[in-house]
Every structure is written in structure tokens, then in C-alpha cells.
Amino acid sequence: MAKYLLLKHYRGAPTGVNDVPMDQWTPGEISAHLKYMDDFAARLEETGEYIDGQALSPEGTWVRYDGEGRPPVTDGPFAETKDLIAGWMVLDVDSYDRALELAGELSAAPGAGGRPIHEWLELRPFLAVHPTVTE
Amino acid sequence: MDGVLLRSLTPEVIAVLVRRGADFAAAEDAVQEALIEALRTWPERAPRDPKGWLVTVAWRKFLDAVRADASRRLREQRVVAEPSPGLGPGGDDSLQLYFLCAHPYLTPSSAVALTLRAVGGLTTGQIARAYLVGEATMAQRISRAKRTVAGIPLDQPGDVATVLRVLYLVFNEGYSGELDLAAEAIRLTRQLAARIDHQEVAGLLALMLLHHARRSARTRSDGSLVPLAEQDRGLWDTRLIAEGVEVLQRALARDRLGEYQAQAAIAALHADARTAEETDWVQIVEWYDELVRLTDSPVARLNRAVAVGEADGPRAGLAALASLDPTLPRHTAAAAYLHERDGDRAAAARLYAEAARQAPNLPERDHLTLQAARLNTALRR
């Protein structure tokens, strides 16, 4: 088994094929999309491959330490930041191929005109916690 | 097995152990263990005297725990030999537990967790799943909370307002998974109202009942939100509404208004209207004026602006909104709504899309996106 992080981006991913902002879809198209996403997650829960999924607000803040006894410095959000993560799903699957298959399925969610959005999703393997015995 | 009975007995059983000389933290642990055993064994063989059973088992668990800890041996002998009452005679022990679990030293999340466990009789696992955190995290949060209140005597008078804030937080968490937190909050507020005669406890209970009455009308089967004006009022629970209105009227009759009574009065006016059009917005604005006076809360001012938009027209609502901080949560959504009422669909669509980006949760984001899409689709025709 291997764990993968499936990332969805607000910004920073290459442009998808059917890339139309959601507020320009019809209400019916939005409902169909949301149902597809729910069904996808429900199916993965059933197969025992789903671990966690969360959506993130587009608004965030940059924070850093500013020295002893001082409050942390905050800045942003920066409009020029290239990468903006919209949400994630953590999967635990048997193989890399299975992770690819699922990511492909999620990217096929219907969008404007009822056609798949072909959105680019980022698939990142987790680094394992335990060393692999090689000797 | 009656899970609600089991849960409602919890504070009384903790109080018995404390009266016998156990400290709160140890008593609470012992009762939690007894609860877990009850959940395991009662379905097959329920005791005739549930409270007696819980006291016996919890006391045994307490003694086991004390014995297991050799360093506490002396205390065990003292406790068993001469029980020292931790609670005042004749005082309401369960009420004291409400105050302790909502103590101002506790953070809101700790107070909520401790209240649900010690007053609500829920297991750590149930609380953890309801708040979508791991059980170990929740166990840690509860044991830290217990350490925080460890030195506080149980017979101190508490502040009702802090208890109400905790119960309101639980209520607003709503429903996720197996445990209905809104129903639990109502149960605990009911118990509190039975123990203390206070107009704001009644006000909060009325508010919860009136909001809860609309719950099944508030979401569609796919989880999407239905705004108040579009709800099927036939789905509203008239029994809960009747009870909420009655509780509220008794509270208001005491003529000591507070924020929960004012909010409940607004909810009651919505419940009174057979259709959205029949809503008495003029009176609702008056109640919002009271609420603003009582709380000076920006959220109350924002809601008031929306009510003004209904009572005096969208332009008046937008004018009221214009005097408020635009970064207030839901300010943009309120502006979108009022612009649409004013006939400016393009501005409304743009604002709904912007409000969706600022939405604090997924159902609201989806709802706001759908509003933008609905308007944009109509504008393209």
C-alpha cells in the first residue's frame, strides 16, 4: 500500500481543457459536478482507499517568526503567488497506477456544458515513515 | 438500551462520587469508564436501577484507580475512612458541574469537550468523531481541561453566561455523523433550564428549539442549502415551534431582556409567518435594534441591514450595509442579495461570486456559487 496526496489548485496548475469559472456554469452543471465529487469520495470510502479530504479557502496569510518576544510577522495574501492550493485528498492505494487511475477519474468531473473539465491535478507520493530493509 | 437516559445520569453520578470524596477529575474518569462498560453490557442485560448500577461501577472503578496508584494510597485510606463533601449540602450538584465545565479559565474548545463528556455523558470517542478529530487528540484536550479546573472548588457560584456560550457553540456545530450535537445541546439546555430559573437560559432554549424546528427544511437531500424564504414551511416542526414560543413568552414576561431572548424573538417571528411574504419585517427590525443595543455586535448590525432591506426596500438595506465594515463575514453575500432585490443582477452576480470565494464553509460556498451561476445564466439569455 502507498499513500498519495492528490492536490487541486486554484492557481498554478496548467490550464485544463474545459476551463470556465464555476460561476459561469449553469446551476444544473454545478449540481452535477458537486454530485460527481461526492460520489467519487463515497466510492473510495467504500473501497477502503480514502483517508482524508479537505477544501481550503482561497484567502491565506504568510507568517514568519520575528525574533524573541515579538509577535510573528504576517503578510499577504500575495496576488502574485503562483501556486494556490484549493484542496486535497489523501489516498491509500495498492499501486502508483491505481493512484493515476483515480486522479484521472476525478479530473473527468463534469463542468461547463456538462463536459469533463480535464483539470490538471497534482499527485504526490508520501515519503514512507519506515525505512525499507534492503540488505 | 436508553442512551439518552444513560447520558443524562452522568452528571448526577459524578456528583455522588465527588460527594463521597473523589476529586472531580478522578470521579469524571471513573464515570466515563462506567459509561463505556454500560454501553457494552446494558444492551444484553440492562440493570433495574441504572443510576445505582452506574454509581456502584463508577465507585469501584474509582477505587481501582486509586489503588493502582501506590503514591495515592494514603489518600485512598482517608477518602474511604472519612468522605469529605466536595459539594455543598442541598446545592444542585449537576448545576455546579455545568459551571465548572464552562469555567472561564478554559478555552472554548476545551469547555465544549469537557461539558459534552462530564455533563453530557458522551464518550471521548463520540465527541472526537463529532468534531472530526482523532480520539487521542480529544482525550488529550479533555485531560488538559480537567487539569486546568483541578483546583477550583465545586461549590463556587458560576456565571450562567459562560455556560450559555458553551451550549450555543455546541448547538451551532450541528450534525455530523452519528452524533447530533444540536440535539445534545438542546437536551443539555433543557436540563439546565430545569435546574435554574434564568430568563436567558429560557431564551437560549427557545432559540435552539425554534431553529431546530426548521432543520429538515434547511437542506435538500443532496446537502445543498435552502434559504429561509424558499423553505417548505410544511416541513417545519410545529411541535418544537409551539414549545419554543411558549418558553420564550414566559421568559419575555419577566421583562429582563437579553441577547438570546431577542434572537429567539426574531426566530419566533419567522416561525409565525405562514409564507415568506407574510413575515413581519418591521417587528424583526425592531428586535434587531434591541439586539444591537444589547450586544453592539457587528454581526447583529449586518443582519439588521438585511432585515431593513426587507422592511423598507433594498435601497434602505444597502444604505444600512454601507455604514458597516465591508470585511465583516457575509457582508458581500448580503450586498449581493440586496442588489438582486434592487434589480441589479449583474452587480449581484459579481458579488455572489466574490462572496463564494470568502465563504467560511462548503455548503455556503456551493450555495453562493449557485446564486452567481443562476444570475449569470439568466443574463446570458
Side-chain angles (χ1 to χ4, degrees), chain B residues 108-124:
Chain B
S109 59
S110 306
V112 160
L114 192 55
T115 297
L116 286 174
R117 208 172 97 144
V119 187
L122 297 167
T123 65
T124 306

Side-chain angles (χ1 to χ4, degrees), chain B residues 130-355:
Chain B
Y131 283 93
L132 306 176
V133 302
E135 190 165 339
T137 304
M138 190 51 82
Q140 192 56 28
R141 191 179 297 174
I142 290 168
S143 67
R144 278 181 66 105
K146 284 164 68 172
R147 281 201 298 276
T148 303
V149 297
I152 297 164
L154 264 167
D155 55 359
Q156 302 283 306
D159 181 2
V160 173
T162 61
V163 177
L164 296 183
R165 264 196 297 280
V166 168
L167 295 174
Y168 193 49
L169 275 179
V170 175
F171 181 74
N172 279 333
E173 202 58 39
Y175 180 83
S176 57
E178 65 184 296
L179 188 68
D180 185 343
L181 284 173
E184 286 301 313
I186 290 176
R187 181 174 70 80
L188 296 181
T189 310
R190 249 191 232 286
Q191 278 180 22
L192 181 63
R195 292 190 166 106
I196 188 170
D197 188 21
H198 188 287
Q199 63 283 351
E200 277 291 87
V201 176
L204 179 61
L205 178 59
L207 175 65
M208 288 177 175
L209 293 168
L210 289 162
H211 278 188
H212 205 58
R214 294 203 284 267
R215 188 161 75 167
S216 57
R218 204 176 290 137
T219 46
R220 295 187 187 87
S221 56
D222 62 1
S224 60
L225 297 180
V226 187
L228 187 54
E230 291 164 33
Q231 286 173 18
D232 175 357
R233 293 178 184 226
L235 293 175
W236 290 0
D237 186 328
T238 48
R239 195 182 51 84
L240 286 181
I241 290 174
E243 187 191 351
V245 168
E246 197 199 319
V247 170
L248 173 65
Q249 278 172 342
R250 262 184 283 130
L252 288 175
R254 304 174 61 163
D255 210 16
R256 297 187 63 177
L257 192 60
E259 56 177 306
Y260 294 115
Q261 292 169 80
Q263 287 186 69
I266 293 164
L269 283 167
H270 285 300
D272 272 349
R274 273 173 305 169
T275 63
E277 294 71 33
E278 282 177 50
T279 309
D280 187 345
W281 287 106
V282 173
Q283 244 201 98
I284 288 177
V285 171
E286 286 170 12
W287 278 111
Y288 273 121
D289 288 336
E290 291 284 359
L291 194 58
V292 167
R293 186 179 60 75
L294 288 163
T295 63
D296 197 30
S297 135
V299 176
R301 287 180 199 279
L302 183 77
N303 290 332
R304 183 188 167 278
V306 176
V308 166
E310 302 288 353
D312 303 332
R315 292 280 165 91
L318 285 167
L321 203 60
S323 65
L324 303 178
D325 177 359
T327 63
L328 270 174
R330 299 185 180 83
H331 187 283
T332 313
Y337 175 77
L338 290 167
H339 274 290
E340 184 180 1
R341 301 270 302 179
D342 193 35
D344 189 348
R345 291 193 294 180
R350 184 179 51 74
L351 287 164
Y352 271 128
E354 191 185 325

Side-chain angles (χ1 to χ4, degrees), chain A residues 10 22-28 30-31 34 38 54-59 86, chain B residues 132 222 349 353 356-359 362 365-366 369-370 372-374 376-377 380:
Chain A
Y10 286 117
M22 211 181 223
D23 61 277
Q24 302 295 326
W25 305 4
T26 69
I30 293 176
S31 299
L34 296 175
D38 283 351
Q54 297 285 336
L56 294 172
S57 160
E59 305 282 331
Chain B
L132 306 176
D222 62 1
R357 283 191 291 277
Q358 302 164 356
L362 281 172
R365 173 158 91 179
D366 293 343
T369 307
L370 276 166
R374 173 179 58 78
N376 283 326
T377 304
R380 277 199 298 273

